[in-house]
Amino acid sequence: MGLRPDAKAQVTMRYEDEEPVAVGTEVLSTQHDESVSARPSRRCCLMSSSNR
């Protein structure tokens, strides 16, 4: 697929009474080969994120 190994993620959680109750924001960042369109990489990340 052309994804490189250096990926980063950031998740913002909402807490009530020190317990997580919701995910506010998910940010995913990946490196990909310049010869590969970003579209397949984006689709892969979105699918992986929604399968939790």
Side-chain angles (χ1 to χ4, degrees), residues 18-35:
E18 298 185 23
E19 295 290 326
V21 296
V23 174
T25 307
E26 294 179 63
V27 178
L28 304 171
S29 172
T30 64
Q31 302 290 324
H32 61 87
D33 191 294
E34 291 180 11
S35 66

